[in-house]
Amino acid sequence: MKSSTADAVGALFRHNVLEMAEYEPPQDAERLARRLGVPVERIVKLDANENPYGCSPKVQEALAKYRGYHLYPDPAQEDARQTIAAYVGADPGGILVGNGSDELIDLLMRALLDPGDEVVDFSPTFGMYAFNAQHFAARLVEVPRNDSFDIDVERALAAFGPRTKLAFLATPNNPTGNGVSADALEGLLETGRVIVVDEAYAEFCDTSFVPLVAKHNNLVVLRTFSKWAGLAGLRVGYGVLPNAISRHLWKLKPPFNVNLAALLAVTASLQDVDYLKQNVSRIVEERERMWLALQEAPYLAPYPSQGNFILCKVLGRDAFAIREALARRGILIRCYSHPRLRNHLRISVGRPADTDAVVDALRTL
Ligand SMILES: *Cc1c(COP(=O)(O)O)cnc(C)c1O
């Protein structure tokens, strides 16, 4: 067979893949360090809501001494599901562990979306809902949040059409930092569509809708070890799901979706919750200190946050130019192309020294 031209190969791809824009990954700390000629420890990485205190030492220990890496992990995730269930106060049968909570977003969409179906989200919000929806040729219906970034339930209900299969609601919302009320959530649940509450930052605000899952067969709560437990690099998240939903996701789940190191890290982390919660407290305390310090900058208006990050409106200056100026000093923060966030910055909460570095740099810009 003759090899094809690039065009002929291109013609083999699904229509919606051809239409997709290339994904813009976040900046890499190692690469920035090399470019600036400084050691990577000098980079102040406040662009991805990672945990500056790292994972539990018990995770390091458990992973170093484990001797079974040549065997496949348990496809039923029994140990991890038991310990997670005890941690969140849910039934182990309703827990599904994923390769990051990102995988659960993908599994839900794979299970529910035919081309042309609709997904609702509340913009501005976490970008993965829109990103994943494109893979399924689904239509993303963005319901705009109001001026204080709260969701408008009336407006949301009006946006639900006959083809709306699921809605994603992050609380506290990334990047705006605010939570959703139980009343608003109940309003959405009444639609009977699958409502996914993304609680990636629940540990930073101590509120959760997990107890509601037992009462609603259309409610899914997503959680992750990436932020509070410092396991972003191992990729481990989970869903708390009613049986009506989980039984279909189990059919689609790749048997070995969560690797052994990640599963070991879950049980080790949950044996060290007090230690990890201490770090969460330090971050929450630092969040309040950073919020006050950011208020001092005349061109920044920080929003209150219940997560481990603070969104700021930039007044009379260009947010992207600020990001570039900070990057030249080895400080990474996040900017957005979404129209509602065009002149906004999101700064993750790090250690006190990280706050000092970013506040100092912002002051001298
Ligand atoms: C960071 C984040 C996640 C985390 O995803 P993982 O795949 O578990 O790392 C999920 N949802 C939101 C809103 C986030 O900000």
PDB file of all heavy atoms in Angstrom, residues 21 26 55 57 99 103 134 143 183 185 191 238-239 262 297 320 345:
ATOM      1  N   ALA A  21      -9.240  23.395  18.512  1.00  0.00           N
ATOM      2  CA  ALA A  21      -8.008  24.166  18.627  1.00  0.00           C
ATOM      3  C   ALA A  21      -7.025  23.351  19.467  1.00  0.00           C
ATOM      4  O   ALA A  21      -7.437  22.502  20.254  1.00  0.00           O
ATOM      5  CB  ALA A  21      -8.297  25.496  19.317  1.00  0.00           C
ATOM      6  N   PRO A  26      -0.285  24.691  30.666  1.00  0.00           N
ATOM      7  CA  PRO A  26       0.293  25.710  31.535  1.00  0.00           C
ATOM      8  C   PRO A  26       1.821  25.684  31.467  1.00  0.00           C
ATOM      9  O   PRO A  26       2.419  24.727  30.993  1.00  0.00           O
ATOM     10  CB  PRO A  26      -0.205  25.324  32.928  1.00  0.00           C
ATOM     11  CG  PRO A  26      -0.725  23.936  32.818  1.00  0.00           C
ATOM     12  CD  PRO A  26      -0.985  23.645  31.388  1.00  0.00           C
ATOM     13  N   CYS A  55       3.227  16.124  49.610  1.00  0.00           N
ATOM     14  CA  CYS A  55       2.348  15.065  50.107  1.00  0.00           C
ATOM     15  C   CYS A  55       2.783  14.666  51.517  1.00  0.00           C
ATOM     16  O   CYS A  55       3.768  15.165  52.046  1.00  0.00           O
ATOM     17  CB  CYS A  55       2.381  13.872  49.161  1.00  0.00           C
ATOM     18  SG  CYS A  55       3.986  13.054  49.081  1.00  0.00           S
ATOM     19  N   PRO A  57       4.571  12.519  54.356  1.00  0.00           N
ATOM     20  CA  PRO A  57       5.782  11.671  54.376  1.00  0.00           C
ATOM     21  C   PRO A  57       5.428  10.182  54.377  1.00  0.00           C
ATOM     22  O   PRO A  57       6.211   9.364  53.895  1.00  0.00           O
ATOM     23  CB  PRO A  57       6.490  12.056  55.682  1.00  0.00           C
ATOM     24  CG  PRO A  57       5.790  13.245  56.227  1.00  0.00           C
ATOM     25  CD  PRO A  57       4.502  13.447  55.502  1.00  0.00           C
ATOM     26  N   ASN A  99      -8.192   8.478  37.521  1.00  0.00           N
ATOM     27  CA  ASN A  99      -6.867   8.999  37.222  1.00  0.00           C
ATOM     28  C   ASN A  99      -6.977  10.539  37.225  1.00  0.00           C
ATOM     29  O   ASN A  99      -7.043  11.188  36.194  1.00  0.00           O
ATOM     30  CB  ASN A  99      -6.457   8.463  35.851  1.00  0.00           C
ATOM     31  CG  ASN A  99      -5.025   8.796  35.503  1.00  0.00           C
ATOM     32  OD1 ASN A  99      -4.400   9.646  36.124  1.00  0.00           O
ATOM     33  ND2 ASN A  99      -4.501   8.137  34.515  1.00  0.00           N
ATOM     34  N   GLU A 103     -10.440  12.366  35.020  1.00  0.00           N
ATOM     35  CA  GLU A 103     -10.904  11.141  34.347  1.00  0.00           C
ATOM     36  C   GLU A 103     -12.392  10.897  34.602  1.00  0.00           C
ATOM     37  O   GLU A 103     -13.099  10.359  33.747  1.00  0.00           O
ATOM     38  CB  GLU A 103     -10.105   9.905  34.783  1.00  0.00           C
ATOM     39  CG  GLU A 103     -10.487   8.693  33.925  1.00  0.00           C
ATOM     40  CD  GLU A 103      -9.942   7.350  34.403  1.00  0.00           C
ATOM     41  OE1 GLU A 103      -9.610   7.202  35.583  1.00  0.00           O
ATOM     42  OE2 GLU A 103      -9.892   6.435  33.558  1.00  0.00           O
ATOM     43  N   GLN A 134     -15.878  19.091  24.078  1.00  0.00           N
ATOM     44  CA  GLN A 134     -15.547  19.136  22.639  1.00  0.00           C
ATOM     45  C   GLN A 134     -15.244  17.748  22.083  1.00  0.00           C
ATOM     46  O   GLN A 134     -15.465  17.499  20.908  1.00  0.00           O
ATOM     47  CB  GLN A 134     -14.286  19.928  22.362  1.00  0.00           C
ATOM     48  CG  GLN A 134     -14.097  21.246  22.985  1.00  0.00           C
ATOM     49  CD  GLN A 134     -12.692  21.738  22.639  1.00  0.00           C
ATOM     50  OE1 GLN A 134     -12.446  22.181  21.515  1.00  0.00           O
ATOM     51  NE2 GLN A 134     -11.775  21.638  23.565  1.00  0.00           N
ATOM     52  N   VAL A 143     -23.869  29.085  31.243  1.00  0.00           N
ATOM     53  CA  VAL A 143     -24.789  29.995  31.928  1.00  0.00           C
ATOM     54  C   VAL A 143     -23.930  30.989  32.702  1.00  0.00           C
ATOM     55  O   VAL A 143     -23.208  30.593  33.618  1.00  0.00           O
ATOM     56  CB  VAL A 143     -25.727  29.227  32.885  1.00  0.00           C
ATOM     57  CG1 VAL A 143     -26.662  30.186  33.601  1.00  0.00           C
ATOM     58  CG2 VAL A 143     -26.508  28.164  32.115  1.00  0.00           C
ATOM     59  N   ASP A 183     -29.737  25.669  48.404  1.00  0.00           N
ATOM     60  CA  ASP A 183     -30.978  25.962  47.683  1.00  0.00           C
ATOM     61  C   ASP A 183     -30.762  25.951  46.172  1.00  0.00           C
ATOM     62  O   ASP A 183     -31.564  25.396  45.421  1.00  0.00           O
ATOM     63  CB  ASP A 183     -31.518  27.341  48.071  1.00  0.00           C
ATOM     64  CG  ASP A 183     -32.214  27.306  49.425  1.00  0.00           C
ATOM     65  OD1 ASP A 183     -32.415  26.184  49.946  1.00  0.00           O
ATOM     66  OD2 ASP A 183     -32.538  28.384  49.945  1.00  0.00           O
ATOM     67  N   LEU A 185     -28.424  24.417  44.529  1.00  0.00           N
ATOM     68  CA  LEU A 185     -28.174  23.045  44.085  1.00  0.00           C
ATOM     69  C   LEU A 185     -29.474  22.245  44.015  1.00  0.00           C
ATOM     70  O   LEU A 185     -29.721  21.530  43.034  1.00  0.00           O
ATOM     71  CB  LEU A 185     -27.166  22.367  45.024  1.00  0.00           C
ATOM     72  CG  LEU A 185     -26.894  20.886  44.724  1.00  0.00           C
ATOM     73  CD1 LEU A 185     -26.371  20.680  43.301  1.00  0.00           C
ATOM     74  CD2 LEU A 185     -25.905  20.304  45.732  1.00  0.00           C
ATOM     75  N   THR A 191     -34.313  19.272  38.098  1.00  0.00           N
ATOM     76  CA  THR A 191     -34.427  19.058  36.649  1.00  0.00           C
ATOM     77  C   THR A 191     -34.373  17.575  36.294  1.00  0.00           C
ATOM     78  O   THR A 191     -34.764  17.179  35.202  1.00  0.00           O
ATOM     79  CB  THR A 191     -33.267  19.737  35.895  1.00  0.00           C
ATOM     80  OG1 THR A 191     -32.036  19.151  36.350  1.00  0.00           O
ATOM     81  CG2 THR A 191     -33.257  21.232  36.128  1.00  0.00           C
ATOM     82  N   TYR A 238     -11.720  11.128  42.882  1.00  0.00           N
ATOM     83  CA  TYR A 238     -12.782  10.128  43.018  1.00  0.00           C
ATOM     84  C   TYR A 238     -14.143  10.790  42.907  1.00  0.00           C
ATOM     85  O   TYR A 238     -14.286  12.009  43.053  1.00  0.00           O
ATOM     86  CB  TYR A 238     -12.669   9.361  44.344  1.00  0.00           C
ATOM     87  CG  TYR A 238     -12.669  10.226  45.592  1.00  0.00           C
ATOM     88  CD1 TYR A 238     -13.838  10.469  46.303  1.00  0.00           C
ATOM     89  CD2 TYR A 238     -11.482  10.805  46.046  1.00  0.00           C
ATOM     90  CE1 TYR A 238     -13.826  11.261  47.448  1.00  0.00           C
ATOM     91  CE2 TYR A 238     -11.472  11.594  47.178  1.00  0.00           C
ATOM     92  CZ  TYR A 238     -12.640  11.820  47.875  1.00  0.00           C
ATOM     93  OH  TYR A 238     -12.624  12.611  48.993  1.00  0.00           O
ATOM     94  N   GLY A 239     -15.114   9.943  42.642  1.00  0.00           N
ATOM     95  CA  GLY A 239     -16.492  10.405  42.619  1.00  0.00           C
ATOM     96  C   GLY A 239     -17.257   9.712  43.719  1.00  0.00           C
ATOM     97  O   GLY A 239     -16.973   8.557  44.066  1.00  0.00           O
ATOM     98  N   ALA A 262      -0.552   5.530  42.894  1.00  0.00           N
ATOM     99  CA  ALA A 262      -1.641   6.423  43.279  1.00  0.00           C
ATOM    100  C   ALA A 262      -2.548   5.755  44.316  1.00  0.00           C
ATOM    101  O   ALA A 262      -2.965   6.384  45.296  1.00  0.00           O
ATOM    102  CB  ALA A 262      -2.445   6.834  42.044  1.00  0.00           C
ATOM    103  N   ALA A 297      -2.344  46.619  46.865  1.00  0.00           N
ATOM    104  CA  ALA A 297      -1.895  47.027  45.529  1.00  0.00           C
ATOM    105  C   ALA A 297      -3.008  47.856  44.884  1.00  0.00           C
ATOM    106  O   ALA A 297      -4.130  47.390  44.753  1.00  0.00           O
ATOM    107  CB  ALA A 297      -1.572  45.803  44.683  1.00  0.00           C
ATOM    108  N   PHE A 320      -2.049  40.192  31.289  1.00  0.00           N
ATOM    109  CA  PHE A 320      -1.045  39.341  30.632  1.00  0.00           C
ATOM    110  C   PHE A 320       0.356  39.943  30.751  1.00  0.00           C
ATOM    111  O   PHE A 320       1.340  39.214  30.924  1.00  0.00           O
ATOM    112  CB  PHE A 320      -1.420  39.099  29.163  1.00  0.00           C
ATOM    113  CG  PHE A 320      -2.534  38.103  29.001  1.00  0.00           C
ATOM    114  CD1 PHE A 320      -3.862  38.509  28.996  1.00  0.00           C
ATOM    115  CD2 PHE A 320      -2.251  36.746  28.889  1.00  0.00           C
ATOM    116  CE1 PHE A 320      -4.896  37.580  28.878  1.00  0.00           C
ATOM    117  CE2 PHE A 320      -3.272  35.819  28.761  1.00  0.00           C
ATOM    118  CZ  PHE A 320      -4.598  36.236  28.752  1.00  0.00           C
ATOM    119  N   LEU A 345      -6.352  38.018  37.242  1.00  0.00           N
ATOM    120  CA  LEU A 345      -5.238  37.134  37.577  1.00  0.00           C
ATOM    121  C   LEU A 345      -5.706  36.176  38.653  1.00  0.00           C
ATOM    122  O   LEU A 345      -6.486  36.552  39.521  1.00  0.00           O
ATOM    123  CB  LEU A 345      -4.084  37.922  38.202  1.00  0.00           C
ATOM    124  CG  LEU A 345      -3.432  39.042  37.437  1.00  0.00           C
ATOM    125  CD1 LEU A 345      -2.473  39.778  38.372  1.00  0.00           C
ATOM    126  CD2 LEU A 345      -2.663  38.460  36.254  1.00  0.00           C
TER     127      LEU A 345
END
